[in-house]
Amino acid sequence: MYINTNIIIRWKGICKVKNTKNTIIIAFLLTSLILFSYGNSLLLFSKSTNVSDNSKGQLLLNKKDVSNVKPSNFKHSLEVELSKISLSKSIVELLPADFCLIGEWSNSDKEIVDLNPNKALVPGSALKIATAAIVFSNFKKDETLDTTIYGQATNGVVETASMTISGDPSFISNNPPNLGRQDYIENKYTHTFSDLANKLSVLNIKNIKKLVIDTSWFNIPSYNKEWESKKNQVGAMGALLVDEGYEQNSVSLEPQIYASNILKEMFLSKFVTIGTIEFSKKQLDPKLTTKENLLASIQSASIEKLVTDMLKNSNNIYAEQLLIASAHKSIGRVDIESLMNFANTQLNKLVPNTDGLKFLNGSGFSYSSTITCSELMSIISSVSKKGINIISLTSKAGIDGTLANRFAEYKNILQAKTGTLDGVTALIGNIDKIHFSLLVNGQFNDAKGHIYQEKTVALLKQFPSINNLKI
């Protein structure tokens, strides 16, 4: 026996009813009648797509074979479905009008809450979930970003050396800038140019008269004007970069030149001198970068580890650089137009419907970027099919990253990517056995945004519970 698809029983005032008790009792009796008549049907509460219009609610009976329902399952199913109604009502009462929330069981992908799933909202740093997906679509987890020097040495001297680079964001100097970040916001996987100099020293190379660095593929402005207000959160970009594009606690105006100066200093500390350094805007002659001319090469940490630093610490420059590196690997020369075309093409492959997606940079540090909760969940699901669990690389509550000092009560059961801008809060992750995606926009400060996150997580954590229905 089948129930017709989308039989909708509507009632008014589910969200602003004056007498909650009576409304729930009516829903209970109505549900009981349906279940006794047709078996264990699936009931889903759905808020109207316009959250500001709280005048309607609906109980959906989806098509389902109910011919073999056991009466013993009746009570449990009813409790679960009523808990869904209660959870949705509590969320709508908690959050401002512009929000979306999806929650689903991790072992079945069955939704327990589905409010405004296709509403396009500003995600802040939660957009790094999409960036991570793009990176993993172009790199294997154990691949690296390489920095390599080629040339011919005679008696410890190289007349002209050629250097290829890949946009590695993880180089640091001996004296990294103090950016005023929290102690727990620290990149774990970094290295220095000294590692490259050490390999040259082993070859008894003492002097490079001219070093030509290939930056021909990088045609991206070093800085985005939209980032001016919070310069301690995102530095400058470059094909060659050190200290995340900062120079003496300020955003570097010439990040590639500054990085080359640091390289020169570190080489000198290892007794390898460099005469002049040039940046080539033309691709190097392939004859110069053959295996026979290889002098030394160093690798970053694995892509998986770099993405982990990006997600846990919400590192903006890592997000931008890893996105650019992915585009470089795929299309070669990168400018703003080709980068955005590349990114959106990659996302279109991961998500069946991208109507709410407006991807403008890798970090999410923009009020113009938008995405929906449904799209975020689809991205995570698509990448998981490739054997990559993006959420497992995000911050662990009470342990590390942006959640190191938060959600201590959920230590070991909550892991999520945060997103924060003025009037924007987001949390995408897992709480116990529930996958969820939360985006909220409105007029509120960071503290209020944290409250929205915390109360939403608490409601998800206690689901299902018939005790919260207050009948």
Side-chain angles (χ1 to χ4, degrees):
M1 175 179 174
Y2 290 91
I3 297 175
N4 291 333
T5 302
N6 291 336
I7 298 173
I8 302 177
I9 300 170
R10 297 179 181 271
W11 75 95
K12 293 184 178 180
I14 188 67
C15 296
K16 284 190 174 180
V17 66
K18 292 182 179 180
N19 192 328
T20 302
K21 178 178 179 181
N22 289 343
T23 301
I24 298 299
I25 290 175
I26 292 171
F28 182 96
L29 293 175
L30 181 58
T31 302
S32 300
L33 176 62
I34 294 168
L35 289 175
F36 274 125
S37 299
Y38 298 107
N40 189 23
S41 302
L42 177 63
L43 291 141
L44 294 176
F45 172 84
S46 174
K47 180 69 184 63
S48 68
T49 54
N50 183 356
V51 178
S52 61
D53 176 11
N54 289 326
S55 62
K56 294 180 179 179
Q58 59 187 27
L59 206 58
L60 304 181
L61 301 174
N62 292 332
K63 182 176 182 181
K64 185 178 180 181
D65 185 357
V66 295
S67 58
N68 296 318
V69 174
K70 297 180 180 180
S72 60
N73 291 333
F74 170 76
K75 181 179 179 181
H76 172 71
S77 296
L78 184 58
E79 289 179 353
V80 170
E81 301 310 328
L82 288 174
S83 288
K84 289 181 182 180
I85 296 172
S86 179
L87 173 61
S88 294
K89 182 177 183 299
S90 297
I91 293 295
V92 171
E93 290 175 343
L94 168 67
L95 300 177
D98 289 332
F99 83 94
C100 66
L101 174 65
I102 294 176
E104 59 188 29
W105 293 118
S106 59
N107 59 353
S108 68
D109 292 335
K110 289 184 178 179
E111 291 174 346
I112 62 172
V113 62
D114 187 29
L115 299 172
N116 301 321
N118 298 315
K119 188 178 185 67
L121 296 164
V122 178
S125 285
L127 193 67
K128 291 183 177 73
I129 293 287
T131 301
I134 294 172
V135 174
F136 283 128
S137 294
N138 289 272
F139 286 100
K140 294 179 181 179
K141 292 190 294 184
D142 59 352
E143 282 190 76
T144 57
L145 299 179
D146 300 348
T147 303
T148 307
I149 292 182
Y150 300 88
Q152 292 289 332
T154 303
N155 298 323
V157 177
V158 180
E159 289 292 329
T160 301
S162 302
M163 184 173 176
T164 59
I165 50 184
S166 53
D168 182 357
S170 62
F171 281 112
I172 60 172
S173 67
N174 289 328
N175 297 295
N178 181 3
L179 302 176
R181 296 172 177 170
Q182 298 289 342
D183 292 341
Y184 54 81
I185 304 296
E186 182 178 353
N187 299 315
K188 187 175 181 180
Y189 305 105
T190 59
H191 59 157
T192 71
F193 295 124
S194 294
D195 301 331
L196 192 59
N198 285 333
K199 292 193 174 185
L200 293 174
S201 294
V202 171
L203 299 175
N204 294 317
I205 294 175
K206 301 298 182 184
N207 176 244
I208 297 174
K209 290 188 176 181
K210 183 169 74 171
L211 177 63
V212 180
I213 303 176
D214 183 3
T215 59
S216 62
W217 60 271
F218 190 96
N219 194 29
I220 301 287
S222 63
Y223 200 70
N224 187 325
K225 291 182 179 179
E226 195 171 1
W227 302 339
E228 285 289 333
S229 62
K230 296 186 178 181
K231 294 183 178 180
N232 68 323
Q233 294 190 16
V234 56
M237 297 175 288
L240 183 69
L241 204 64
V242 69
D243 292 339
E244 298 180 38
Y246 286 96
E247 181 178 350
Q248 297 178 351
N249 300 339
S250 299
V251 175
S252 179
L253 299 178
E254 298 286 349
Q256 293 182 155
I257 293 176
Y258 177 66
S260 69
N261 289 336
I262 295 297
L263 181 146
K264 197 171 184 179
E265 290 175 7
M266 288 191 166
F267 272 44
L268 183 59
S269 70
K270 300 298 180 180
F271 307 103
V272 179
T273 60
I274 299 176
T276 60
I277 296 180
E278 297 179 4
F279 295 98
S280 176
K281 288 300 180 182
K282 293 183 179 180
Q283 187 174 2
L284 297 177
D285 186 339
K287 294 180 181 178
L288 299 175
T289 57
T290 61
K291 186 176 180 179
E292 290 73 23
N293 288 329
L294 175 64
L295 292 175
S297 183
I298 57 173
Q299 292 72 43
S300 69
S302 70
I303 288 294
E304 183 177 39
K305 290 178 178 178
L306 294 180
V307 171
T308 298
D309 269 347
M310 175 191 79
L311 293 175
K312 284 185 181 293
N313 301 326
S314 202
N315 191 303
N316 292 314
I317 207 65
Y318 270 47
E320 303 296 349
Q321 292 284 137
L322 289 173
L323 178 65
I324 293 169
S326 298
H328 173 48
K329 182 184 179 185
S330 177
I331 63 177
R333 187 175 182 274
V334 184
D335 56 28
I336 289 294
E337 183 178 0
S338 64
L339 179 63
M340 290 301 99
N341 287 338
F342 162 78
N344 284 287
T345 297
Q346 296 296 304
L347 291 172
N348 284 331
K349 293 178 181 178
L350 294 170
V351 185
N353 184 349
T354 58
D355 290 345
L357 179 59
K358 190 175 182 181
F359 188 95
L360 298 179
N361 61 34
S363 64
F365 197 172
S366 170
Y367 284 97
S368 300
S369 294
T370 60
I371 198 168
T372 69
C373 283
S374 179
E375 288 162 349
L376 281 166
M377 297 295 271
S378 292
I379 288 170
I380 294 169
S381 176
S382 294
V383 176
S384 70
K385 294 175 182 176
K386 300 178 181 180
I388 299 169
N389 183 348
I390 288 181
I391 299 303
S392 70
L393 308 180
T394 61
S395 178
K396 296 178 181 178
I399 296 176
D400 58 20
T402 55
L403 295 182
N405 294 334
R406 298 183 59 206
F407 293 105
E409 66 273 33
Y410 301 129
K411 188 175 181 179
N412 298 321
I413 62 170
L414 172 63
Q415 189 164 10
K417 177 70 196 79
T418 56
T420 302
L421 290 171
D422 294 337
V424 174
T425 194
L427 198 65
I428 320 296
N430 300 334
I431 174 68
D432 208 355
K433 297 180 180 180
I434 296 174
H435 297 323
F436 67 90
S437 176
L438 169 70
L439 300 176
V440 186
N441 293 177
Q443 299 296 320
F444 53 84
N445 57 24
D446 291 354
K448 186 66 173 179
H450 283 184
I451 290 173
Y452 290 148
Q453 291 181 11
E454 290 155 9
K455 289 189 175 182
T456 299
V457 168
L459 288 168
L460 290 171
K461 176 63 178 66
Q462 66 189 16
F463 179 88
S465 175
I466 195 69
N467 295 328
N468 295 318
L469 293 175
K470 299 179 180 179
I471 294 178

